[in-house]
Structure formats: structure tokens, C-alpha cells
Amino acid sequence: SRSLAQLNLNLGIVSNINRVKQLAEALKTNRSVQSLFLHGSPLTDAGLALLNPALSIHPSLVALDLGDCMLGDEGINLICGLLPPDGAKSGLKELTLSANPGITSKGWGRLAIAVAHSSQLRVLNLDYNPLGDQVAGMLAVAVASSRTLEVLDLEGTGLTNQSAQTLLDMVENYPTALRTLILAENNISPELQQQISDLLSEGEEEEETEAHEVTAREKNPWICQNNSSSQMVLMTSGLGDSLLAETEM
């Protein structure tokens, strides 16, 4: 097919190794699929290893759902290869890894590093994984470093107010592309959730205001532009090693 843009094989359709092989062969030839959904398929790391060569060279794939696929740390290593850091080649813009409890904190840490340096990822769904506060801290650093991540789903991931406070500090003090953070079904106070939501909403309103101002300047080029404002720029050389610098623009 030259026109198929979305392929939904959720809920166990890819149920054995032979079907994984068939899908891998099909993806090697296909050039049109942009979204591939395999949620609830018992792939395991071995099945993903068979699919990975086709996924990594696919010219159009931008959304991948591997939720509830029985993945572990080896699978995460393969997935990180689909998040190129420099924009030299196409990579995923949307990634779903919901309900993969076999992934350890080491694997999530590896993913956090990849997310921090990904030049394209916009949506990351990690709901219903036993992440806990330690992994949430890694993800907070990744979000603060990412220039593209707009949506992060952490619903039902075992977080507490400790995680929420870290995320609140991140949203409040660092420039970030994040616009939606889902924290439902965690042991987090409604007050903290509301504070985070309010800050993210303020960021959206500021962006809309700036967009209107840019449009107005384009329509009225004689309007004087004020260049005396300062801009906060986040520079990072790796996970956990961040430097916030203020430059005069």
C-alpha cells in the first residue's frame, strides 16, 4: 500500500513470533505508514528486536504505540534508537510505553536521557508503569532539557507529592515546551496538581500573546520593537548536568 497512514494492530493481533516476522517484512517495503499501534501485543524484547531494523529505517513513521507489550530494558535500548538526538534523520514524534512493568529504573533512566536530547519527540505516554519518585525526577530533568516535548502522561505511575514538587519546580523555573502533564491516579495533593496546571496554562497564554504580537508586527512593520528584554536559555550537556544562563537578547 502506498496510501496507508495508520495501522492499528492493538489487543494481541501480533500474537506470536511468526506474525512479528510478517509485520517486519511488510514494514521493510512499506513507505506510507505514519502511525503504528501494537498496544497489548506480547512482543517482548525479542519480538521488538525483530521489528527494530524495519522501524529504524522506515521513512514516514512518527507515532508508535508499544503499550502493554511485555517490554524490558533491552527493548528500551532499541526504542532509544528511534529518538535521534540531532535531527539528522527522522524520528518519533509520539511514543506510548504504557503498562510495561518489566522495565526497570535503569531502563527508564536510559529513556530519560534519550528524551532529553531528542530533537523531535512531542508526546510521551508512560501511564500505568511503576515509575515512582526516583524515575519522575529523571523525567523532570529530561523535560527541562527537551525543546520539543509538549505532552507527558504519568497517570497511575506511583508518584507522590515529592515528585509533584520536583515537577512544579521544573515548570516554574525552567523554560520548557511542556503544555500538558497528566498526573491523575497518583498520591499527589489536588493543590499541587492545580498549581502545576495553572503554570502550564500561563505558559500557553504567554505563547498566544507573543504569537499575536508577532502577527501584529508583520502586519505593521513600522511598530518599534523593544530589544531590551532578557530571555532565559537552558543549556545542558547531559542528564542531571544542567546550566541555566541568562543572556541579553
Side-chain angles (χ1 to χ4, degrees):
S1 174
R2 298 180 180 179
S3 60
L4 182 66
Q6 178 174 299
L7 181 58
N8 189 327
L9 300 174
N10 285 342
L11 303 179
I13 293 178
V14 185
S15 57
N16 56 57
I17 202 67
N18 288 329
R19 291 190 176 186
V20 173
K21 291 178 179 179
Q22 290 171 343
L23 177 60
E25 289 300 316
L27 288 173
K28 287 179 181 178
T29 303
N30 177 272
R31 291 293 180 268
S32 64
V33 169
Q34 300 174 23
S35 302
L36 177 61
F37 303 114
L38 299 173
H39 202 111
S41 300
L43 287 181
T44 71
D45 291 349
L48 184 58
L50 290 175
L51 278 180
N52 187 65
L55 296 177
S56 62
I57 63 171
H58 198 286
S60 303
L61 188 67
V62 292
L64 180 63
D65 186 342
L66 295 174
D68 193 19
C69 284
M70 303 173 64
L71 301 180
D73 290 354
E74 292 182 11
I76 284 290
N77 289 335
L78 296 173
I79 291 167
C80 288
L82 303 177
L83 303 174
D86 55 7
K89 64 176 183 177
S90 61
L92 295 178
K93 294 183 179 179
E94 181 173 345
L95 174 61
T96 296
L97 292 171
S98 315
N100 280 293
I103 301 171
T104 70
S105 58
K106 180 179 179 180
W108 292 124
R110 176 71 180 85
L111 180 70
I113 294 172
V115 171
H117 294 285
S118 172
S119 58
Q120 298 169 61
L121 189 67
R122 297 183 180 278
V123 178
L124 180 61
N125 299 311
L126 302 180
D127 47 313
Y128 299 105
N129 284 297
L131 303 181
D133 292 331
Q134 180 183 8
V135 172
M138 300 178 193
L139 291 171
V141 176
V143 172
S145 300
S146 172
R147 297 182 178 180
T148 60
L149 191 67
E150 298 176 353
V151 178
L152 178 60
D153 187 350
L154 298 177
E155 179 175 356
T157 51
L159 308 188
T160 70
N161 284 343
Q162 178 182 332
S163 298
Q165 188 62 57
T166 300
L167 293 165
L168 176 62
D169 292 342
M170 178 269 296
V171 172
E172 189 172 21
N173 296 307
Y174 291 84
T176 172
L178 193 67
R179 294 294 170 260
T180 301
L181 178 60
I182 302 172
L183 295 173
E185 296 192 34
N186 286 296
N187 189 23
I188 297 174
S189 69
E191 292 79 12
L192 276 174
Q193 292 194 49
Q194 189 61 52
Q195 289 179 33
I196 294 172
S197 177
D198 290 344
L199 285 171
L200 292 175
S201 298
E202 288 176 8
E204 288 184 349
E205 292 172 358
E206 290 175 0
E207 279 199 349
E208 290 176 359
T209 300
E210 291 174 359
H212 289 313
E213 291 175 351
V214 169
T215 302
R217 287 198 296 269
E218 289 173 349
K219 292 181 178 179
N220 303 283
W222 57 84
I223 294 177
C224 179
Q225 299 184 27
N226 183 3
N227 294 322
S228 62
S229 61
S230 61
Q231 178 182 1
M232 300 301 290
V233 181
L234 177 66
M235 300 179 293
T236 176
S237 59
L239 185 67
D241 182 18
S242 312
L243 175 63
L244 187 65
E246 182 174 4
T247 59
E248 295 296 323
M249 303 299 291

